[in-house]
Amino acid sequence: MNPEFERNLWLELRPGRMIVMTVVLALAFFAAALSQGFFAGPGEVARWGYFIIVVLWGARNAANSVVGEIRAHTWDGQRLSSLSAGTMMWGKLFGSTAFNWFGGAICLVVILAELVQEHGPGVAAIELVYYLAIGVIAQSAALLASLIAAGRRQARTQFEIFLYQATGLAAAVAVYVVWLIADPARSYLLHVERTDVVMWWGLACPAQPFLLLSMALFAGWMLTGCYRQMRLELKMRNGPLVWLAFLLFMGAYVAGFDVWLSGNQALTNLDAVALRLLLAGTVYGTLAYAMVFLEPKDRVRFRWLGSEFGRFHLGTVLANLQGWMMSYLAAQAVGIALIVWLGRASLLQDQAIACAMLGFLTRDMGIVVLTNARKRGGDFTALAVLFLLYALLPAIFASLHLTTGLALFTPRPTDPVWLSPLAGWAEALVVWIVAVAAIALPEERAKPAAA
Amino acid sequence: MIDVRDLVYEYPTTRALKGVSLHVKPQTITALVGPNGAGKTTLLRCLAALEPPYSGSVTVDGRDTREAPRAIHALLGYLPDFYGLYDALSVRRVLSYAARSRGISPALTASAVEKAAGRVSLLDRLDTKAGELSRGMRQRLAIAQAIVHEPRVLLLDEPAAGLDPQARRDLSTLLVALKDAGMTLVVSSHILAELEDYCTEMIIIEDGLIVGGNAIKVRDADRPRYMLEIATARSDLREFLAGRPGVDVIEADEYHALFTHPRNSAARARLIKAMLAAGFEVSSLGESTKALEEAYFKQVGQAR
């Protein structure tokens, strides 16, 4: 058996705890059945029980599976172990939550029994996949958040554990709300407009299978993310192919929802191809921002990449690009494609805004790299600078009626049209010159050792 | 076994290691000494391939920590200064997990657990929960965790902290036994007396730098250090000793001399006989028990 899973079972599945869980749940179902409408029936109690035990509590245990080790000073021992990243990841994800899944399984039996009785085995099977997926997504999102924080050496306090748990809960809520769209029985709960079809790449896809497949795919990517992050914690290297595959998936998946933007007044000029490019570019830009903050900004690595680039070892450089770099390059590639496509319809103002967006994206990446170049932990400085550039200074300029000057801070329509792209790219150039200089500057010279 | 070249390591606000270079020979016990905050723990973590160097290189058994950290992990046992144990598990399960997670097959786990527990004298506590052990026993269990897979290199960060005198003596015996079994050990401490009994080499680290630039040999099994004392002052003590075969004088004054000499009782008897014949009133001659302390203060004194 997986040693990490087995160790967690030793800790989690103690007979006393299992008996208490079984008795408490049995009493809850019994009380619900006896209440005759005063409480919800056993099925509804089981649903709430499942969400509390597997999603709410399970996400916390998953987050704690790494952070708890760090706090207990056992994580270094685990990092030195010969367990593979996959063994460690599965062992932690399903071992630390074994007790939650034990309780969840009891709840699922009640839920499925009710569903089979009321709607038949087909609906019960679909709901089973949904419940398992929402549990796995919540727990793996919490584990992923805690692993990313561990990589940044920021996973210590109870409050931080709560944040990782909250990440898992946010993922679960997103799944819950999206699922309600296709649920004929419960969509009224959150006043979500119910639909039987989802338009994707111009195809009318049946909603439930489409959402179920989407959920499974995102759960798969979440687990892949946990696995790759665990590899980094165990000092293994990640190649670029998986992230490139993720980018392709995200671009293709999100671009398929162009019909959502077709009613937007500001985008009436754009055809379906332009909207799809805009969606893909936006998701790549968003991933670039997310990853540049989440990934470590290692000056030694940047220098090494620079030296390899200088020697034209392009294969080595491409194989060692970080996630944010690949996302940024994908955003640029899709952005250029969008500009070319818009040029066919002579949409000069839209081309200029797209060009400006790419310039400001480049500038912002440079700001994050620059603030981290000479010291670790420069992300807060970067966030403060971006807040200044995107919120405070534009607000001041706007209140002074200096509307043309707003083009210095955000992509916007200007007269002349080249002003906004010029501002974005000029700022990007300046920031990157300073950032490269800061990275390339020699470090503080070490004192010579006493002879 | 371990080579470090120009190692620089930085924390967000401070440079902990400022260009450390050192070499650790195989099957030795090297003491890593220095005041609190000198960089000992950081250096050990770099040696364990847990922290990547900012610049410079660390190789263990010819493998670079940046290039092959997992291969180095497989060679290592590491006891951090703040170690953790799974308090809710029994000693047997703690060691079983350590063995299995370090690649020992299920069939061999039980024997590995018993061997490790036996080495740290915890065989009679195998079914006790780790949380119920005394501080000294917990320390021994933590060491057993680090050696259960018979690593080739063992890094110990302040292993004797909080141990009583008997437990320290047991620890010394264990470490020497591990060295004799073929392990290379690096042991950090800021208490010299702790290391005196078992270290063969010493690296002094201060403010992120190696004092003296390299390891100092503090103990040679074949040529131990001897401390000689004479009852009446003689200004020619150093000169006389230096002229005797096999004697290397480290330091001497009119009453005392510290020197190395072959570990041979007949040779030692001949030396005493020659001294008495030359009119030296030898009042004591014995193996120096303060070798580490003397070497430390000599190096630190020279550096300052």
Side-chain angles (χ1 to χ4, degrees):
Chain A
M1 190 191 285
N2 175 337
E4 179 61 17
F5 185 67
E6 186 178 40
R7 181 187 66 83
N8 275 299
L9 291 189
W10 288 338
L11 290 168
E12 294 295 321
L13 291 188
R14 297 198 292 271
R17 298 181 85 201
M18 292 165 76
I19 291 168
V20 169
M21 172 73 86
T22 309
V23 169
V24 168
L25 286 175
L27 287 174
F29 301 145
F30 189 58
L34 287 181
S35 67
Q36 295 182 332
F38 186 73
F39 293 116
E44 201 59 30
V45 169
R47 280 188 190 88
W48 280 104
Y50 183 87
F51 284 122
I52 290 168
I53 294 168
V54 175
V55 177
L56 188 70
W57 185 7
R60 183 164 187 89
N61 281 347
N64 227 350
S65 65
V66 170
V67 184
E69 303 280 358
I70 294 171
R71 286 164 63 90
H73 303 290
T74 47
W75 184 227
D76 280 341
Q78 295 203 322
R79 291 170 74 206
L80 289 170
S81 75
S82 56
L83 298 181
S84 69
T87 305
M88 188 69 90
M89 192 272 281
W90 290 114
K92 286 207 172 296
L93 186 60
F94 292 115
S96 67
T97 57
F99 187 57
N100 305 90
W101 284 111
F102 171 74
I106 296 172
C107 295
L108 274 180
V109 168
V110 177
I111 295 167
L112 293 178
E114 189 188 77
L115 284 169
V116 168
Q117 197 177 16
E118 291 179 4
H119 303 286
V123 172
I126 289 175
E127 289 282 315
L128 175 65
V129 174
Y130 159 71
Y131 277 105
L132 292 177
I134 198 170
V136 170
I137 286 176
Q139 293 172 5
S140 53
L143 177 62
L144 180 58
S146 68
L147 279 168
I148 289 170
R152 295 166 52 86
R153 303 288 172 259
Q154 284 179 337
R156 296 286 190 278
T157 64
Q158 287 291 345
F159 177 69
E160 284 169 306
I161 296 172
F162 168 72
L163 291 182
Y164 314 141
Q165 180 190 13
T167 306
L169 296 182
V173 167
V175 170
Y176 182 78
V177 170
V178 169
W179 187 244
L180 284 181
I181 291 171
D183 186 341
R186 293 196 299 272
S187 60
Y188 66 90
L189 277 178
L190 291 180
H191 308 292
V192 179
E193 193 179 338
R194 199 182 84 76
T195 180
D196 291 324
V197 290
V198 174
M199 291 303 294
W200 189 70
W201 284 97
L203 301 169
C205 305
Q208 275 204 332
F210 180 84
L211 294 178
L212 214 54
L213 184 62
S214 299
M215 233 185 281
L217 288 170
F218 278 101
W221 281 117
M222 203 86 79
L223 293 171
T224 306
C226 290
Y227 170 71
R228 282 168 62 82
Q229 207 59 40
M230 188 65 85
R231 281 177 59 85
L232 293 178
E233 277 300 299
L234 299 184
K235 296 290 173 192
M236 298 171 184
R237 282 188 185 157
N238 285 331
L241 294 180
V242 174
W243 188 259
L244 283 176
F246 178 65
L247 288 176
L248 280 175
F249 166 78
M250 285 301 290
Y253 185 84
V254 175
F257 295 106
D258 57 290
V259 71
W260 289 3
L261 295 181
S262 57
N264 190 313
Q265 291 296 319
L267 301 172
T268 46
N269 289 340
L270 306 188
D271 62 7
V273 173
L275 288 176
R276 285 169 183 163
L277 287 171
L278 179 63
L279 281 168
T282 305
V283 80
Y284 291 154
T286 307
L287 283 170
Y289 277 106
M291 294 311 292
V292 78
F293 279 107
L294 292 177
E295 288 183 306
K297 273 73 69 182
D298 181 350
R299 183 151 64 112
V300 177
R301 185 190 179 90
F302 289 160
R303 278 182 175 180
W304 177 79
L305 272 177
S307 69
E308 290 297 300
F309 186 75
R311 289 181 212 152
F312 295 103
H313 295 168
L314 297 183
T316 310
V317 172
L318 289 174
N320 286 280
L321 290 178
Q322 287 184 288
W324 70 267
M325 298 171 184
M326 287 187 274
S327 309
Y328 166 77
L329 291 175
Q332 288 289 344
V334 172
I336 290 167
L338 176 62
I339 291 167
V340 172
W341 186 261
L342 292 173
R344 295 175 71 222
S346 303
L347 296 170
L348 199 57
Q349 191 63 263
D350 293 323
Q351 281 180 300
I353 291 178
C355 185
M357 287 168 81
L358 296 180
F360 283 109
L361 172 67
T362 307
R363 179 201 67 179
D364 297 346
M365 296 296 113
I367 287 171
V368 182
V369 170
L370 173 62
T371 53
N372 283 278
R374 301 300 288 183
K375 61 169 186 168
R376 293 183 195 178
D379 288 341
F380 282 111
T381 313
L383 281 172
V385 171
L386 292 180
F387 182 69
L388 185 77
L389 291 172
Y390 282 109
L392 293 184
L393 290 175
I396 293 168
F397 272 58
S399 61
L400 296 173
H401 305 294
L402 298 169
T403 46
T404 308
L406 290 174
L408 288 171
F409 308 111
T410 52
R412 53 185 296 112
T414 49
D415 186 15
V417 289
W418 46 261
L419 194 58
S420 189
L422 178 71
W425 281 103
E427 288 172 37
L429 188 66
V430 171
V431 169
W432 272 103
I433 286 172
V434 179
V436 169
I439 291 167
L441 272 179
E443 61 234 32
E444 177 195 332
R445 188 172 292 280
K447 286 182 207 164
Chain B
M1 180 55 91
I2 300 174
D3 263 305
V4 179
R5 299 209 183 280
D6 297 324
L7 173 62
V8 174
Y9 187 84
E10 278 189 354
Y11 289 109
T13 54
T14 180
R15 179 168 285 196
L17 300 175
K18 303 173 180 174
V20 167
S21 296
L22 59 92
H23 175 74
V24 176
K25 292 175 194 159
Q27 217 181 333
T28 53
I29 306 180
T30 302
L32 188 59
V33 299
N36 289 329
K40 301 190 294 293
T41 296
T42 304
L43 178 55
L44 281 179
R45 292 181 65 79
C46 290
L47 299 186
L50 284 170
E51 304 293 351
Y54 184 89
S55 66
S57 69
V58 179
T59 55
V60 180
D61 198 26
R63 296 175 174 94
D64 189 278
T65 53
R66 269 188 182 280
E67 298 300 319
R70 296 289 285 170
I72 292 170
H73 292 169
L75 295 173
L76 282 179
Y78 175 51
L79 175 72
D81 51 350
F82 295 106
Y83 60 86
L85 296 170
Y86 298 107
D87 287 346
L89 297 182
S90 66
V91 170
R92 189 189 302 280
R93 282 188 161 174
V94 168
L95 292 178
S96 294
Y97 172 69
R100 296 274 289 110
S101 72
R102 301 307 298 256
I104 293 177
S105 70
L108 298 175
T109 296
S111 60
V113 166
E114 294 204 352
K115 186 175 180 186
R119 277 176 154 168
V120 297
S121 309
L122 282 177
L123 267 179
D124 57 336
R125 303 277 178 167
L126 280 174
D127 296 314
T128 307
K129 283 189 177 172
E132 294 167 3
L133 296 176
S134 68
R135 182 170 179 162
M137 286 181 187
R138 288 173 65 79
Q139 189 88 359
R140 276 146 58 189
L141 176 56
I143 293 170
Q145 274 191 136
I147 61 172
V148 70
H149 60 298
E150 306 273 342
R152 292 179 58 195
V153 177
L154 184 58
L155 307 175
L156 304 167
D157 199 352
E158 307 278 358
L163 295 186
D164 60 40
Q166 181 59 47
R168 284 187 189 187
R169 177 167 293 185
D170 294 344
L171 178 69
S172 303
T173 309
L174 171 65
L175 298 188
V176 171
L178 294 175
K179 185 204 78 171
D180 292 342
M183 285 186 202
T184 304
L185 294 91
V186 179
V187 185
S188 97
S189 179
H190 63 282
I191 304 168
L192 291 174
E194 240 175 58
L195 305 161
E196 196 72 62
D197 295 338
Y198 50 80
C199 287
T200 51
E201 318 270 328
M202 177 171 65
I203 292 164
I204 303 168
I205 186 164
E206 208 172 47
D207 194 24
L209 289 166
I210 301 291
V211 178
N214 217 330
I216 305 155
K217 199 171 188 75
V218 290
R219 195 182 304 277
D220 186 332
D222 299 327
R223 288 184 60 81
R225 293 169 177 231
Y226 291 97
M227 176 60 81
L228 172 82
E229 191 177 83
I230 54 176
T232 310
R234 286 279 294 267
S235 58
D236 60 338
L237 178 59
R238 174 188 278 272
E239 193 185 345
F240 178 83
L241 283 170
R244 306 305 303 170
V247 173
D248 283 327
V249 179
I250 298 166
E251 58 187 39
D253 59 24
E254 292 180 339
Y255 286 97
H256 306 92
L258 181 68
F259 60 92
T260 61
H261 192 251
R263 186 189 289 280
N264 180 317
S265 51
R268 215 156 50 242
R270 281 197 297 277
L271 176 64
I272 294 170
K273 196 172 172 183
M275 292 194 75
L276 292 173
F280 289 95
E281 294 175 11
V282 178
S283 57
S284 76
L285 174 67
E287 205 170 320
S288 171
T289 55
K290 299 280 185 190
L292 204 67
E293 197 171 307
E294 285 156 6
Y296 177 84
F297 286 110
K298 190 174 173 194
Q299 280 297 330
V300 171
Q302 281 176 6
R304 285 171 182 165

